Amino acid sequence: MKKSKGNPSPAASSKGRASSRVAYSEPRIAVAIMAAGKGTRLKSQLPKVLHEVGGKPLLEHVIRAAVRIVPAKDVYAIIGHEAERVRAALEHTGIHFVLQAEQRGTGHALMVARDALAAYDHVIVLSGDAPLITPETIGHLRNFHLEEQAAMTLLSADLEDPTGYGRVLRKGARSAEVQAVVEEKAASATQKKIREMNSGFYVFAVKELYANIGKLSTANAHGEYYLTDMAEVLRKARERVVAWKTANASEVLGGNTREELAGIDEQMRLAKCRQLMADGVTVFYPATCVIDGDVEIAPDTVIEPYVQLLGTTRIGTACRVRSYSVIRNSEIGDGVNILPGCMLDEALVSAGAIVGPYSRLRPGTEIGEGAHVGNFVETKKVKLGKGSKANHLTYLGDAEIGAGVNIGAGTITCNYDGVHKHKTIIDDGVFVGSDSTLVAPVRVGKGAYVGAASCITADVPADALAIGRARQIVKEGWAREKRAKRTR
Ligand code: UD1
Ligand code: CA
């Protein structure tokens, strides 16, 4: 690359928000993410980059890092295998997609992106299957590339066991310059001893990349165009090729196999737990907890072993989530107690409430302040008012329940007539006796009582008592006579 004057100091653009105040001399930088491969080694119907670690597709992690470096409009994911599925899953990120209809290698992926990248000076190339990469490291790599005025800059790392990865052949032990990258399959015994691996992340000067990319060949073990071969191609064209070695070797790990995915997932989960603990949350036996990256928990909350907190779940301060609970996309207020074995999905639990053990709160559940939901209680699209209790063996669906209501053990809202769902309304202060069925649509007025074992099919006015069950019959002496007959 020609040494051009007027490059900004790398520090000036390291915040990645350059677009709002672009100086005329500032280089135009794009990010291309290679994500077209099938992921043969996973033996899966699902394309590799949609496999999840830390609760999100591999590719989404990489996109998140990328948009911290350049705006989404300058990010291009190169997709191919199951492209429409990948696009649909990640369209919400606002980035561009480039189609690599036939996947003929990482070099070929960049060939098909030529038109999309023509308007840029440099392209940062990321791998869609290496989700641990951080914006900080990408920023360092970019800065090194700009400082070195290189045509190609590789990100490398020393690995304890670099088996399977490409190896970086430097011009000399101390030299920043790179001779070539040799893939594992083509490496000699001596080259295999090199611990410096090629991460699959690069920065290229766009002009030099495309002036030379046609020189790539498919004369290798896979019959593919290897992007790694650009190191040698550019060096032979007398362009500058350098490598920047990161000390954070764990960031460059790729998820090519199920085992590697499990390792990456574990690393992300532990990092999340460490962050939570640093922020004042107690997590017992963190290795047993599954907490997604976007989950938020306020200080002084305690998470017991074997808890899963998923999606966008938010938990307030001074709560306790006891073992074996799985909570997804839910919001939990302060001082809430989630007892063991609960499942919460898109539920809202207000401050001071007690849930469980063994409660199932399904989407649309809103538990009021200080309310209690007990064992084997299932709720769906329900508002349970402040201080109300449904403590045992109950199904509440499509119901609006006021404050201070007592729902007796075994109460069922019959919300479904086989075709439609109907609503049950229970006003403030109602007492529903045990084993009652409330056949919706139905309303029980403020302060009313429902006698135990009632089947309520008509509205109950406020302050009334409704009993809907057969009257009890008592036959004096009946049992004594029966026994007498038996002994005769
Ligand atoms: C690649 C590198 C290797 C490096 C390793 C780091 C090559 C030839 N080798 O190997 O030196 O150590 O990454 O993880 O590049 N892809 C496409 N289109 C294709 C082929 C692949 O978009 O035609 C995508 C894949 O979806 C994947 C990425 O490129 O996200 C890397 O491809 P992969 O096959 O995983 O390369 P590795 O064998 O891991
Ligand atoms: Ca890979």
Side-chain angles (χ1 to χ4, degrees):
M1 178 188 170
K2 304 281 160 334
K3 293 202 173 193
S4 60
K5 294 267 156 54
N7 272 347
S9 87
S13 53
S14 69
K15 290 283 191 289
R17 293 270 180 269
S19 63
S20 53
R21 43 184 175 77
V22 186
Y24 63 93
S25 60
E26 198 151 340
R28 295 159 301 175
I29 299 180
V31 173
I33 307 173
M34 300 181 293
K38 179 169 181 216
T40 312
R41 289 163 277 184
L42 291 173
K43 303 190 171 70
S44 176
Q45 296 288 322
L46 192 68
K48 168 157 74 173
V49 294
L50 290 189
H51 276 257
E52 290 190 357
V53 290
K56 274 192 198 317
L58 289 171
L59 180 54
E60 192 166 346
H61 291 282
V62 182
I63 292 173
R64 280 195 178 200
V67 299
R68 299 263 306 276
I69 296 294
V70 299
K73 68 170 179 53
D74 295 323
V75 177
Y76 300 81
I78 301 160
I79 56 175
H81 178 72
E82 294 265 16
E84 283 323 303
R85 214 167 151 187
V86 177
R87 186 197 299 264
L90 292 154
E91 210 148 33
H92 65 93
T93 59
I95 66 160
H96 299 282
F97 294 90
V98 174
L99 187 66
Q100 185 193 14
E102 235 185 306
Q103 294 89 55
R104 300 171 63 197
T106 46
H108 182 249
L110 268 287
M111 289 178 192
V112 304
R114 185 179 202 139
D115 289 346
L117 299 175
Y120 296 91
D121 299 312
H122 302 276
V123 57
I124 300 170
V125 178
L126 307 178
S127 228
D129 66 347
L132 292 163
I133 193 72
T134 60
E136 290 70 30
T137 298
I138 301 171
H140 281 304
L141 183 69
R142 172 205 53 202
N143 294 352
F144 189 76
H145 172 82
L146 295 177
E147 278 162 19
E148 289 284 328
Q149 305 197 338
M152 174 181 189
T153 303
L154 299 97
L155 178 68
S156 70
D158 284 336
L159 289 192
E160 210 61 61
D161 175 15
T163 309
Y165 290 102
R167 308 297 207 285
V168 177
L169 311 185
R170 298 224 181 211
K171 275 196 176 167
R174 295 251 183 77
S175 173
E177 283 186 76
V178 171
Q179 194 91 2
V181 173
V182 55
E183 290 302 296
E184 169 90 19
K185 283 200 173 149
S188 68
T190 339
Q191 288 167 336
K192 278 186 182 154
K193 291 208 180 88
I194 298 175
R195 284 177 50 217
E196 186 175 8
M197 57 79 88
N198 166 39
S199 70
F201 298 104
Y202 318 87
V203 188
F204 288 97
V206 169
K207 200 165 129 249
E208 285 71 12
L209 170 66
Y210 288 113
N212 293 284
I213 202 166
K215 297 175 192 163
L216 288 179
S217 88
T218 56
N220 54 52
H222 289 112
E224 291 184 345
Y225 293 104
Y226 287 169
L227 188 56
T228 45
D229 287 345
M230 282 310 295
E232 199 174 349
V233 164
L234 285 167
R235 182 182 55 82
K236 286 186 174 155
R238 304 194 165 281
E239 297 291 351
R240 187 166 170 79
V241 180
V242 297
W244 182 74
K245 195 194 286 182
T246 173
N248 303 328
S250 56
E251 279 185 28
V252 302
L253 300 178
N256 300 301
T257 63
R258 304 261 179 178
E259 193 176 344
E260 285 170 356
L261 287 179
I264 291 170
D265 183 72
E266 188 181 2
Q267 217 184 108
M268 276 187 185
R269 307 274 183 204
L270 280 177
K272 176 71 183 179
C273 285
R274 263 188 232 114
Q275 185 58 52
L276 288 169
M277 292 188 274
D279 292 345
V281 176
T282 293
V283 185
F284 284 126
Y285 292 94
T288 67
C289 292
V290 175
I291 305 180
D292 284 355
D294 291 343
V295 169
E296 290 173 25
I297 309 177
D300 283 329
T301 281
V302 177
I303 308 298
E304 292 193 356
Y306 297 101
V307 163
Q308 295 194 29
L309 303 173
L310 309 175
T312 56
T313 295
R314 284 181 15 206
I315 302 181
T317 183
C319 296
R320 192 170 188 107
V321 181
R322 306 208 45 196
S323 294
Y324 312 112
S325 291
V326 179
I327 303 179
R328 190 181 147 268
N329 295 350
S330 294
E331 200 164 327
I332 293 172
D334 298 337
V336 168
N337 238 320
I338 308 282
L339 301 176
C342 291
M343 290 170 65
L344 278 68
D345 193 8
E346 292 174 32
L348 193 146
V349 180
S350 307
I354 302 176
V355 177
Y358 310 115
S359 303
R360 180 173 180 211
L361 310 190
R362 293 167 51 199
T365 295
E366 293 179 28
I367 305 299
E369 242 178 83
H372 291 192
V373 178
N375 31 218
F376 309 110
V377 173
E378 175 183 349
T379 63
K380 186 216 75 176
K381 272 200 197 158
V382 163
K383 276 190 193 153
L384 186 67
K386 191 170 171 179
S388 292
K389 293 177 185 169
N391 271 334
H392 330 266
L393 303 164
T394 286
Y395 172 67
L396 301 171
D398 302 291
E400 232 171 81
I401 301 169
V405 169
N406 187 81
I407 304 286
T411 298
I412 308 281
T413 53
C414 308
N415 57 333
Y416 187 49
D417 63 11
V419 183
H420 297 107
K421 299 279 171 72
H422 301 283
K423 204 160 173 181
T424 301
I425 298 175
I426 302 175
D427 290 329
D428 292 352
V430 164
F431 182 96
V432 178
S434 295
D435 191 30
S436 294
T437 49
L438 304 161
V439 182
V442 72
R443 178 169 193 153
V444 183
K446 196 170 170 182
Y449 270 61
V450 171
S454 290
C455 177
I456 299 298
T457 55
D459 287 358
V460 180
D463 295 322
L465 165 66
I467 307 176
R469 64 178 185 232
R471 189 175 285 274
Q472 182 171 330
I473 299 169
V474 175
K475 297 184 176 178
E476 289 283 355
W478 182 92
R480 194 190 325 113
E481 280 164 29
K482 186 177 172 74
R483 277 194 300 274
K485 266 187 215 156
R486 261 210 308 260
T487 50
R488 229 182 271 144

